[in-house]
Amino acid sequence: MLRRISARYSRGLLAALVAVAALVTAANIGPARAADRAPASPPSAYTTAP
């Protein structure tokens, strides 16, 4: 019975490590860059900057 429990926990730990590795890899890749440098939206009429 102890072998089944330890096997279950080892599979869970391995799945958690794979998930963390996937998240770290995705975070390091970063978002895709835009093809053009056009602004996303025109400036708002209600800005507080002079």
Side-chain angles (χ1 to χ4, degrees), residues 17-34:
L17 289 175
V18 168
V20 168
L23 288 173
V24 169
T25 302
N28 285 332
I29 289 174
R33 297 190 185 262

